[in-house]
Amino acid sequence: MTSEPAAPLVWNHPAANIGARGVNVERAATPVELEALKEALGVLAVDTFQAHYTIKQEGKVCFRFSGTFTAQISQACIVTLEPVAEKVSETFSVDFRPPDRVTEPEQQERSVLDEPDVEALTGEAIEAGRVLFELLSAALDPYPRKGEAEFSWQDPKAGAAEAAKLHPFAALSKLKSKD
């Protein structure tokens, strides 16, 4: 039996402690959490991760988790493999509801920004750290690239004159009938 790896940010808030006034949190990741984020994201470095968020009760068993986060990340350039520094800054809003109140979106066209994301409240706590990790992961540039990096490749087996003759339709021209 395999178990899921531990979440890099275990920032949970017991739902019973939220109350009518809600909670307002400003938090920064510790060096140990930054290292865990780096490993979980598969990046070169996570220098900072800070979040400011509120959790407010909406009705008896629903909660709104909203705020902002910022992070300083270094990823490998897809061309040169050199470090590329990136600042990620996002605003978010997520509703936590009991599983029986989480419905599938209707099959009509709508903007993803119309409503907050919805998470199932599966335990006794709001899993702020897990959600923040998922949001950070989705916000990263999937193809980081240094500004001046250029990809140029030539087949090492082809000579310089041969490489000059190659073009995208070279193979098709050989198939052309000669009348």
Side-chain angles (χ1 to χ4, degrees):
M1 179 200 291
T2 60
S3 62
E4 286 188 33
L9 298 174
V10 185
W11 297 355
N12 296 337
H13 299 274
N17 295 350
I18 303 297
R21 298 189 77 171
V23 294
N24 191 17
V25 179
E26 194 157 333
R27 191 158 185 182
T30 65
V32 171
E33 291 169 330
L34 292 173
E35 183 64 25
L37 281 170
K38 176 190 119 178
E39 293 299 319
L41 293 169
V43 297
L44 299 177
V46 179
D47 298 320
T48 63
F49 182 80
Q50 299 171 337
H52 180 261
Y53 57 88
T54 59
I55 303 173
K56 293 184 179 176
Q57 195 164 354
E58 307 237 326
K60 278 190 162 187
V61 290
C62 298
F63 300 88
R64 168 86 33 102
F65 171 51
S66 60
T68 60
F69 69 85
T70 59
Q72 282 294 135
I73 308 275
S74 291
Q75 298 188 76
C77 172
I78 62 168
V79 177
T80 65
L81 300 179
E82 295 176 55
V84 177
E86 174 183 7
K87 181 178 181 179
V88 179
S89 183
E90 295 282 326
T91 300
F92 62 90
S93 183
V94 179
D95 284 350
F96 279 86
R97 300 179 187 160
D100 61 340
R101 291 197 182 177
V102 175
T103 58
E104 290 296 317
E106 295 179 22
Q107 295 299 327
Q108 62 186 6
E109 206 172 300
R110 69 177 181 88
S111 170
V112 260
L113 302 176
D114 286 347
E115 300 175 17
D117 291 333
V118 177
E119 288 278 335
L121 184 59
T122 56
E124 301 296 319
I126 306 297
E127 297 173 330
R130 177 187 58 80
V131 172
L132 287 167
F133 169 73
E134 290 172 1
L135 292 168
L136 172 63
S137 178
L140 291 179
D141 182 355
Y143 305 106
R145 185 174 173 166
K146 289 194 89 138
E148 68 279 354
E150 279 191 38
F151 180 75
S152 82
W153 180 83
Q154 290 185 352
D155 187 352
K157 295 176 186 173
E162 181 93 11
K165 287 194 270 180
L166 291 178
H167 55 82
F169 299 106
L172 290 175
S173 67
K174 292 178 186 176
L175 299 175
K176 186 177 176 184
S177 67
K178 298 184 182 192
D179 291 334

